[in-house]
Amino acid sequence: MGYRYRSWGRYPPASQHIVSMSWRHEALPADRFPGLTLLPFGNGRSYGDVCLNDGGALIDVRPLNRLVAFDAVGGRITCEAGVLLSEILEIAVPRGWFLTVTPGTQFVTVGGAIANDVHGKNHHRAGSFGCHVYRFELLRSDGSRLICSATENQDWFRATVGGLGLTGLITWAEIQLKPIVTPFMEQEVIKFAGLDEFYTLSDESDGGFEYTVAWVDCLATGRHLGRGHFIRGNHSKVKPSRPGNDPKARLGIPVDIPFSVVNRLSLKLFNWIYFHRQMRRTRASTVHYAPFFYPLDSIPGWNRMYGPRGFVQYQCVIPHENGRAAIQEILTRISRAKMGSFLAVLKVFGDTPSPGLLSFSSPGVTLALDFPVATAGTLGLLNELDDITCSAGGKVYPAKDARMSAGHFERYFPNWRQLVAYMDPRFSSGFWRRVRPDSL
Amino acid sequence: MKNVLIVGATSAIASATAQLLAARTDGLYLVARNREKLEAVAGDLSARGAGKVQICVMDALEYDRHPRIFAEAEAALGGLDTLLIAHGTLPNQERCQESFELTMREIEINLLGTISLLTHAANYFEQKRSGEIVVITSVAGERGRQSNYVYGAAKGGVSLFLQGLRNRLDKSGVNVLDIKPGFVDTPMTADFPNKGILWSQPHRIARHIIRAIDRRQDIAYVPWFWCFIMMAIRTIPERLFKKLKL
């Protein structure tokens, strides 16, 4: 099943030995490949090499897919680390509970969500995923097990949340869900003409809307720079009279495409059509949670659209004081290079501190885009963007990263030195070896 | 809501199947050798909403306990509708060739233990005049080949036994379902390298099993494409097949 052990961007290529972990009470299969380093692997939705270990071994944690307990009154669920967020939703939603924080895909494991301390459209209200994790068990290669929480082994908790799987293997975790009345969402989509309007909308919406995010046309230039659609929503309190369906995955991309569908021409065309598809300035609707939170999950294999060489995602967060200027400069640089993705995402993060040493989400504005690797100049452009992000005091999200340099990593995550003491000596990843080459 | 007895409940395919059954709130009586694993599986199924979940630690070769487990399951769940036999091992073909003792043990686990369970199950369900017996065999049981004929012989023997049972129990309204998976990625097959496109994940197999049970099929290749692969394999003349390195 070699194809299963790739990251979502299918870049960089990596080959590793695979060993599975099927029972949470058993020891780590550390002796299966004695000379090799290990890394837990969930569902491979990280984009770059945080989930890869080229030349080493991966521990497939997906067989750890059991629930341990579900308190349907208090909304606490304890489950093994290989359980997908989609599986939690299948069980919890009918009982009136939803994930307190969810990323843009439901096909990530609980372990992966903790290891990357993922965030969602409600960061300005709820903070990151790690803020709602009560505790988890960390299994180390020496056989020791640590229960980590805000009150027990707190330093291990801080190191492991956002710790990219390098401190050991999470076997199970207990998380808090939030109550909902229906699976539907009240959504508003507002067309905006440029970046200034985005910030205004964002400020206005934070108070009344739990979820906010913007899609931005990354090819728009001049006074159209940063035009897009602002999406804001709340959980419905009332069941609609004519409910929309829960769209099961429909048309997907079942086979590899030998070229990247995303190119200069297609991008410009798509973005223009997409921006103008909504005629009215504001459109309100009631939708099922699936298309609201996980629009791309309904296109299985969408990552194939970028062709066999794959794609890279660039997601940065810039602190408020430099945010506007830096985002403006980044978008200008991208549109000038005429490169980028169909869907560029812009959002303002809230002030809730993230609990991990290497957590990404922090106060400021975040921008995320995909770039096909096949396009010449992609990697050069991203290094330029790194320079802008660095000067503005921001950072880049490791979960999405496949190419940040060691120099930039040092500036983005000065806390990395504290992480080293908690890393498991047998664990390593492609990402870590790239950003800390002296650790080899 | 059905009540299901699963032997080998901690195996990957059985526990994935049980997860789907739990979502329908079926009552489940789980039998396996290892208590700790059973407790993990039972906890999962309860949390998923299964009606009643009970565990029973038993080895497939404890023949004297086999006659009693049906009554025990019925008492624990308040009824019994379905038996799923999912226990088994994957013999190391080379080591079996060198040791009849090892071969004998593998045949005991995979053939005789199953036959013992089926003998008592058949009488139990025949007398109730309802119910279903579901057994996981393998496509390997359809044609002996050099790489796994001890396994193939055991599974093939079970399939033949099931065929006879099916014939006997048809008039009693008891369904006998032979599940024939192809390659499945589970702890049992952990040592196989380079698993390619023909390999399936347990949860996919589980979905097919549930569908076959609901449709009251007799034989189900899972996934369905193995039906065509085995049709082709079966047509190869013996004088040619014996030269192949399958």
Side-chain angles (χ1 to χ4, degrees):
Chain A
M1 313 237 89
Y3 64 89
R4 272 193 61 216
Y5 303 102
R6 294 206 231 171
S7 60
W8 194 242
R10 290 137 71 92
Y11 176 87
S15 92
Q16 45 260 307
H17 294 271
I18 311 297
V19 67
S20 288
M21 178 114 173
S22 298
W23 300 96
R24 63 184 185 265
H25 60 267
E26 285 183 345
L28 267 184
D31 297 326
R32 187 86 164 70
F33 298 107
L36 302 182
T37 53
L38 308 166
L39 184 69
F41 187 93
N43 209 32
R45 277 341 202 242
S46 293
Y47 284 65
D49 52 2
V50 286
C51 62
L52 301 176
N53 190 18
D54 192 29
L58 292 177
I59 305 176
D60 186 347
V61 183
R62 275 291 281 139
L64 288 183
N65 70 349
R66 298 173 199 92
L67 302 191
V68 178
F70 179 30
D71 167 12
V73 172
R76 285 193 183 203
I77 189 163
T78 308
C79 60
E80 293 179 345
V83 172
L84 296 178
L85 299 187
S86 60
E87 290 164 356
I88 294 182
L89 288 173
E90 266 171 34
I91 293 156
V93 169
R95 292 169 176 77
W97 296 96
F98 201 80
L99 291 163
T100 315
V101 170
T102 176
T105 169
Q106 51 184 325
F107 301 126
V108 305
T109 56
V110 168
I114 295 173
N116 293 287
D117 194 16
V118 297
H119 57 267
K121 299 184 176 64
N122 63 345
H123 187 278
H124 59 286
R125 292 268 185 101
S128 66
F129 193 87
C131 295
H132 307 280
V133 174
Y134 282 113
R135 57 196 182 123
F136 52 80
E137 180 184 78
L138 184 68
L139 173 59
R140 308 262 299 168
S141 61
D142 62 3
S144 55
R145 288 172 191 265
L146 297 145
I147 306 289
C148 309
S149 70
T151 51
E152 204 182 340
N153 294 311
Q154 305 94 303
D155 49 346
W156 287 95
F157 185 87
R158 271 201 84 208
T160 305
V161 171
L164 310 176
L166 297 167
T167 60
L169 188 140
I170 300 172
T171 51
W172 58 260
E174 185 183 346
I175 66 176
Q176 178 66 53
L177 303 174
K178 70 167 176 230
I180 53 166
V181 173
T182 95
F184 294 91
M185 312 293 296
E186 302 301 335
Q187 169 184 275
E188 272 180 35
V189 181
I190 304 168
K191 233 158 101 166
F192 60 90
L195 273 184
D196 286 339
E197 226 187 303
F198 161 75
Y199 289 110
T200 310
L201 277 169
S202 201
D203 284 337
E204 269 174 22
S205 308
D206 277 4
F209 293 88
E210 186 166 0
Y211 299 97
T212 61
V213 76
W215 165 78
V216 167
D217 177 355
C218 60
L219 291 190
T221 50
R223 62 185 178 85
H224 296 303
L225 191 75
R227 72 176 178 187
H229 291 179
F230 192 90
I231 301 159
R232 56 193 195 183
N234 288 311
H235 291 280
S236 289
K237 299 273 193 284
V238 184
K239 223 181 178 143
S241 51
R242 213 168 46 89
N245 13 349
D246 165 13
K248 290 282 182 279
R250 275 190 256 353
L251 199 60
I253 303 178
V255 295
D256 285 343
I257 303 174
F259 52 87
S260 172
V261 168
V262 180
N263 55 56
R264 288 181 183 185
L265 185 59
S266 65
L267 193 53
K268 203 158 174 66
L269 191 59
F270 175 88
N271 281 3
W272 189 91
I273 294 172
Y274 195 82
F275 177 73
H276 289 293
R277 75 183 183 140
Q278 180 172 292
M279 303 285 281
R280 279 176 284 156
R281 177 174 148 76
T282 303
R283 188 166 61 93
S285 56
T286 303
V287 297
H288 189 271
Y289 74 77
F292 181 83
F293 288 104
Y294 314 117
L296 289 174
D297 282 354
S298 64
I299 310 172
W302 66 263
N303 54 340
R304 295 189 140 111
M305 185 169 70
Y306 289 91
R309 292 195 53 199
F311 67 109
V312 288
Q313 179 160 111
Y314 189 83
Q315 178 166 3
C316 60
V317 59
I318 315 279
H320 288 298
E321 53 271 23
N322 304 316
R324 293 196 187 213
I327 296 290
Q328 172 114 0
E329 208 192 327
I330 289 175
L331 286 176
T332 307
R333 208 66 83 85
I334 291 168
S335 70
R336 214 181 286 152
K338 297 188 172 46
M339 290 191 221
S341 59
F342 287 141
L343 297 166
V345 176
L346 196 55
K347 180 183 168 51
V348 175
F349 279 153
D351 295 330
T352 313
S354 297
L357 277 178
L358 247 53
S359 283
F360 165 74
S361 46
S362 45
V365 57
T366 183
L367 172 67
L369 319 101
D370 309 326
F371 297 90
V373 173
T375 309
T378 297
L379 298 178
L381 172 66
L382 295 186
N383 281 334
E384 278 178 42
L385 300 187
D386 268 335
D387 290 333
I388 302 173
T389 303
C390 246
S391 319
K395 49 186 156 158
V396 167
Y397 194 12
K400 309 272 181 92
D401 179 69
R403 27 61 52 205
M404 79 165 83
S405 70
H408 286 119
F409 175 76
E410 171 93 44
R411 305 262 305 272
Y412 294 148
F413 297 101
N415 280 342
W416 71 265
R417 279 184 189 79
Q418 294 174 48
L419 179 69
V420 172
Y422 297 94
M423 282 177 58
D424 190 297
R426 287 289 309 274
F427 280 50
S428 178
S429 65
F431 175 84
W432 190 255
R433 291 192 293 277
R434 177 164 50 75
V435 299
R436 299 290 346 131
D438 50 338
S439 68
L440 281 164
Chain B
M1 213 204 65
K2 285 210 212 152
N3 292 306
V4 185
L5 162 61
I6 306 180
V7 176
T10 55
S11 74
I13 294 177
S15 51
T17 307
Q19 283 178 332
L20 295 178
L21 292 170
R24 313 197 301 195
T25 71
D26 286 29
L28 298 157
Y29 194 81
L30 310 172
V31 177
R33 285 177 298 166
N34 182 304
R35 176 170 291 279
E36 216 167 351
K37 292 181 183 181
L38 265 177
E39 282 168 356
V41 171
D44 173 50
L45 300 174
S46 298
R48 284 170 193 267
K52 269 201 191 130
V53 183
Q54 296 274 7
I55 65 172
C56 168
V57 179
M58 187 187 86
D59 190 299
L61 301 183
E62 289 185 66
Y63 298 124
D64 51 336
R65 290 182 63 188
H66 291 180
R68 297 200 301 273
I69 56 162
F70 300 96
E72 282 166 19
E74 188 180 322
L77 302 180
L80 182 59
D81 309 289
T82 307
L83 166 67
L84 169 61
I85 298 182
H87 75 275
T89 53
L90 184 60
N92 180 315
Q93 176 64 37
E94 275 170 25
R95 287 184 27 221
C96 281
Q97 281 166 204
E98 288 155 16
S99 157
F100 176 66
E101 215 178 301
L102 182 61
T103 301
M104 195 167 78
R105 178 150 174 84
E106 297 291 357
I107 298 285
E108 250 213 291
I109 295 169
N110 291 295
L111 178 59
L112 291 178
T114 304
I115 287 180
S116 168
L117 288 163
L118 288 172
T119 301
H120 301 296
N123 297 335
Y124 172 83
F125 286 110
E126 186 176 51
Q127 177 228 28
K128 276 181 64 159
R129 299 196 66 77
S130 71
E132 56 210 351
I133 295 172
V134 183
V135 183
I136 300 180
T137 61
S138 172
V139 295
E142 293 210 350
R143 190 145 196 186
R145 52 197 180 93
Q146 64 177 336
S147 61
N148 69 353
Y149 58 83
V150 171
Y151 183 68
K155 292 299 198 185
V158 174
S159 286
L160 212 58
F161 193 91
L162 289 172
Q163 202 166 35
L165 263 189
R166 190 176 297 122
N167 190 206
R168 166 187 157 194
L169 295 176
D170 180 68
K171 53 191 170 304
S172 311
V174 179
N175 198 50
V176 177
L177 169 54
D178 185 350
I179 300 279
K180 298 190 177 190
F183 298 130
V184 189
D185 183 22
T186 68
M188 189 175 91
T189 56
D191 288 338
F192 282 73
N194 305 325
K195 294 175 174 171
I197 194 176
L198 289 180
W199 287 78
S200 302
Q201 293 296 310
H203 57 82
R204 185 180 179 202
I205 300 294
R207 281 201 307 275
H208 286 84
I209 291 177
I210 297 290
R211 202 175 330 151
I213 293 177
D214 289 343
R215 290 179 182 169
R216 289 181 77 83
Q217 285 176 238
D218 299 322
I219 296 173
Y221 292 88
V222 291
W224 54 269
F225 61 78
W226 282 99
C227 180
F228 300 105
I229 297 178
M230 295 320 292
M231 242 190 256
I233 299 269
R234 279 197 301 269
T235 57
I236 301 174
E238 189 67 5
R239 68 183 181 284
L240 180 57
F241 196 88
K242 68 186 182 186
K243 297 190 190 303
L244 298 176
K245 276 203 182 330
L246 281 177

